[in-house]
Amino acid sequence: MAGEINEGSVPSYYREVYEAIRCRTEERVQVEVFHRLLDRTDLQKAARGQIVEHVEWTGGFLSKLSFYKALALIALAQQGKQPSPKLLENCIQELPKPQLGEPKDLGTLRMQPTPDDPLTVSHSLDQLLARDSVQVELIPEKKGLFLKHVEYQVTSQHHKISVYRRYSDFDVFHELLVQRFAYRMVPALPPKRMLKGVLTSISEREFIEGRRRALGRFINLVARHPFSSEDDLVKIFLTFNGSDVQTKLRDAYKRTGDEFMTNRIATQAKEYLPTDVQNQFSASKELIRNIHNSFHKLRDRAEKMAERSKENATDLLMFGRELSMLGSDASSIPSLASSQCTWATLRKSLKGLSVEFALLSDKAAQQGRREEDDVVEKLNFFLDLLQSYRDLCERHEKGVLHEHQKALQKYSVMKRQMMSATAQSKEQVSVEQLESRIVQQESAIQTMELRNYFSLFCLHQETQLIFSYLPMTYHILGAFVKSQVQGHAEMGEVWNDLQPKLGFLFGNNGMQPPF
């Protein structure tokens, strides 16, 4: 029946409504959008059901003519008539106008996300953090000190299993993740440094500890990613207890290829993208770049505060030791000293103060560890995520877009060669070879275009993920304030205990307390 509607005789209102809600890149209307349009009408559920029954659609979409037919059936139903194809035949030359309001107001129907809209990422921060929590612990005694490599125990709370991994396992895993999810955020690995012997130097140990922390951030970001975390690569890395995890990972990648080959909507990604996707991408990239730069400065400041707390711990300990040395001095008091001099008894009291200053030093050291573990580490986690987004943007711009442009240039050269060969009446075999190469290049360009749209599709989703993680700012500030409150309270308690002790010492030596 839809084929009997002559597009040339369709009222302008039909065309305006169609333009308002059709797909942005295709000449068709999504079924979900059509249902939203039906819901805007004042029709009874039974009438809406009859209209849907008489409208043809394929693969979740209505063609233009099918949509025009649906509008006519809506108009008939609004007039109190039976919305049937038979009745529609009587008014095919002058289609009735449905009452749907101003076409310009209908565009929002297309923009409303549906629960199963593949472009929309609806995960909250709490949901992302709850997906998994992975602990990465150093195993220095098992192999690290003797076989010149470090091994890690990786424990996934979600999979409820512990496995043992070397840095090289992380390296292969990361390499395959970037290949499998080239259009997704993949955090960078910390640098590898070859050890030259037994770990004896403090700097070497600090490097190993820093790398352990960074590997922990890496695997937690991967294990919490709503798309890559469900992949076999991730499951194998977190659960496989066999002898050669690297071979197992490579075999898994060979079976699947990259995400474009397995994602069910990869070739239709263009359909779901907003018309201003490039503008949104540019704006989001700039905003996230600024956020990244600011958080980088915050992390640097937090690191300095943690370092100052550690330095304060050292200074307090040394201050106490100096007091203890003064108190341990057994030198006799010279005769020229006044008979009223109390130094001999006072210095003995100083020795006991080293205990309080050692306790103050311990509290300051704890404060430094809290600032490092709770504040700096959270900032580093967030920075790793933001950097992975910036790396993804760079892969998109220098990879997919660049390759697409190169393919188009190559195609243009081939077309000119073909025109030249035809004009010069070259051998048929040569012309046919050029034609074959052009066909192959056209196919390659089509694939690259599809990959480009899929890359933008994934970028759009990854951008949403970044914004889902932004409330982590509250977690970071909360950890910072808590560490300061706890640290100052603990230090204040020791200082308060020290004050009356000083008063007692000075008072017993016939001196007025200095406070």
Side-chain angles (χ1 to χ4, degrees):
M1 182 64 204
E4 297 183 15
I5 293 181
N6 184 357
E7 187 175 348
S9 62
V10 169
S12 60
Y13 183 77
Y14 278 47
R15 295 192 182 91
E16 291 171 5
V17 172
Y18 171 74
E19 289 298 328
I21 70 170
R22 74 175 180 86
C23 297
R24 296 178 177 90
T25 56
E26 301 285 344
E27 291 288 325
R28 52 184 182 173
V29 175
Q30 283 183 297
V31 170
E32 293 89 346
V33 176
F34 170 61
H35 279 293
R36 294 192 204 115
L37 183 68
L38 268 180
D39 291 340
R40 281 178 64 102
T41 67
D42 55 357
L43 297 176
Q44 296 294 321
K45 185 176 180 180
R48 296 201 303 268
Q50 288 178 320
I51 294 171
V52 171
E53 182 182 347
H54 295 312
V55 174
E56 300 86 2
W57 55 274
T58 305
F61 296 93
L62 280 72
S63 67
K64 182 189 292 187
L65 293 179
S66 289
F67 180 69
Y68 288 159
K69 175 184 176 180
L71 292 180
L73 292 173
I74 290 172
L76 290 176
Q78 287 177 329
Q79 294 172 9
K81 300 176 182 178
Q82 189 75 9
S84 67
K86 185 173 180 62
L87 186 59
L88 185 58
E89 291 178 7
N90 299 327
C91 54
I92 200 71
Q93 298 301 320
E94 188 175 349
L95 296 173
K97 180 181 178 180
Q99 302 302 313
L100 301 172
E102 290 294 326
K104 62 182 176 62
D105 297 331
L106 300 177
T108 55
L109 297 176
R110 180 179 57 189
M111 299 174 189
Q112 293 174 3
T114 58
D116 58 348
D117 178 7
L119 185 61
T120 301
V121 177
S122 56
H123 297 77
S124 67
L125 175 61
D126 289 341
Q127 289 172 328
L128 291 169
L129 296 178
R131 292 182 71 86
D132 202 353
S133 178
V134 185
Q135 299 296 320
V136 177
E137 300 297 337
L138 189 64
I139 312 294
E141 298 178 359
K142 189 174 182 180
K143 294 180 181 179
L145 295 180
F146 303 103
L147 297 184
K148 298 184 180 180
H149 71 256
V150 176
E151 192 170 37
Y152 304 93
Q153 183 182 49
V154 180
T155 305
S156 165
Q157 190 177 81
H158 174 71
H159 294 286
K160 296 179 173 59
I161 190 172
S162 292
V163 294
Y164 296 94
R165 298 287 181 257
R166 294 170 56 181
Y167 179 88
S168 59
D169 299 328
F170 278 93
D171 196 25
V172 170
F173 176 54
H174 177 265
E175 176 189 342
L176 294 173
L177 271 181
V178 173
Q179 294 177 39
R180 173 87 173 107
F181 295 100
Y183 311 123
R184 302 283 181 190
M185 291 185 290
V186 179
L189 281 183
K192 178 180 181 179
R193 188 166 70 185
M194 300 300 294
L195 306 182
K196 298 180 179 179
V198 180
L199 306 180
T200 55
S201 70
I202 294 176
S203 61
E204 201 69 49
R205 288 185 180 276
E206 287 177 343
F207 171 79
I208 294 298
E209 171 59 15
R211 190 170 71 176
R212 181 196 67 80
R213 288 174 179 264
L215 290 174
R217 297 193 299 270
F218 160 78
I219 193 61
N220 273 286
L221 283 169
V222 171
R224 292 167 181 171
H225 194 285
F227 302 110
S228 61
S229 63
E230 300 299 324
D231 193 72
D232 282 347
L233 282 177
V234 179
K235 293 177 182 176
I236 290 170
F237 186 82
L238 291 175
T239 63
F240 181 68
N241 261 319
S243 59
D244 192 354
V245 67
Q246 296 182 22
T247 299
K248 188 79 172 177
L249 289 168
R250 289 191 176 99
D251 289 344
Y253 175 71
K254 288 177 184 176
R255 288 194 301 270
T256 57
D258 74 346
E259 188 185 7
F260 181 81
M261 304 298 293
T262 57
N263 192 296
R264 62 182 180 84
I265 57 103
T267 56
Q268 288 93 40
K270 177 182 179 182
E271 182 59 52
Y272 298 99
L273 292 173
T275 51
D276 61 341
V277 63
Q278 290 289 359
N279 291 335
Q280 288 191 34
F281 167 56
S282 298
S284 297
K285 186 178 72 168
E286 181 64 17
L287 174 61
I288 292 170
R289 184 186 71 83
N290 292 335
I291 292 173
H292 180 262
N293 291 340
S294 292
F295 270 87
H296 203 285
K297 293 175 183 176
L298 289 172
R299 192 277 312 276
D300 289 348
R301 293 297 176 184
E303 280 184 335
K304 289 180 179 179
M305 283 188 280
E307 192 60 36
R308 282 199 297 270
S309 293
K310 294 177 184 178
E311 291 173 354
N312 189 33
T314 302
D315 290 339
L316 285 166
L317 185 63
M318 296 307 298
F319 192 94
R321 286 180 180 175
E322 289 298 331
L323 288 176
S324 180
M325 289 178 66
L326 274 174
S328 300
D329 185 8
S331 302
S332 59
I333 304 297
S335 58
L336 58 86
S338 169
S339 59
Q340 299 297 318
C341 179
T342 59
W343 176 244
T345 53
L346 180 61
R347 68 183 179 183
K348 293 179 182 179
S349 302
L350 295 178
K351 187 175 181 179
L353 294 178
S354 64
V355 175
E356 277 73 18
F357 278 94
L359 183 56
L360 284 167
S361 173
D362 182 60
K363 296 299 183 184
Q366 290 179 30
Q367 172 69 5
R369 287 193 293 271
R370 273 195 299 269
E371 290 168 344
E372 193 172 61
D373 295 344
D374 298 340
V375 183
V376 176
E377 191 62 17
K378 282 183 173 65
L379 284 164
N380 278 329
F381 179 87
F382 192 47
L383 282 172
D384 287 352
L385 175 72
L386 294 173
Q387 184 60 54
S388 69
Y389 179 83
R390 296 184 69 174
D391 292 343
L392 174 62
C393 293
E394 186 173 340
R395 284 203 302 275
H396 172 75
E397 293 172 331
K398 293 186 177 180
V400 181
L401 288 179
H402 182 64
E403 291 300 318
H404 188 206
Q405 290 169 356
K406 282 174 59 179
L408 288 173
Q409 291 171 357
K410 185 177 179 181
Y411 177 73
S412 177
V413 171
M414 286 182 177
K415 291 290 284 184
R416 288 197 296 271
Q417 289 175 343
M418 182 66 182
M419 293 173 62
S420 176
T422 304
Q424 297 175 19
S425 302
K426 289 191 175 182
E427 295 181 5
Q428 185 66 25
V429 174
S430 176
V431 173
E432 289 177 353
Q433 288 176 343
L434 269 173
E435 288 178 342
S436 176
R437 288 172 57 199
I438 288 173
V439 170
Q440 291 175 357
Q441 189 66 11
E442 287 174 343
S443 176
I445 289 173
Q446 185 179 14
T447 300
M448 288 181 186
E449 287 178 345
L450 292 174
R451 283 185 172 273
N452 180 42
Y453 285 118
F454 183 61
S455 179
L456 283 169
F457 178 91
C458 293
L459 260 173
H460 202 284
Q461 290 185 322
E462 300 300 287
T463 304
Q464 293 175 68
L465 272 182
I466 292 291
F467 286 105
S468 294
Y469 266 107
L470 283 179
M472 196 170 179
T473 306
Y474 171 77
H475 292 225
I476 295 168
L477 290 175
F480 175 64
V481 172
K482 183 179 178 181
S483 72
Q484 296 304 311
V485 170
Q486 184 176 350
H488 287 295
E490 292 179 354
M491 293 281 285
E493 186 177 347
V494 179
W495 284 117
N496 285 330
D497 289 343
L498 182 57
Q499 188 171 357
K501 186 173 182 179
L502 278 178
F504 176 77
L505 292 174
F506 279 94
N508 281 351
N509 286 283
M511 300 180 65
Q512 186 68 25
F515 39 79

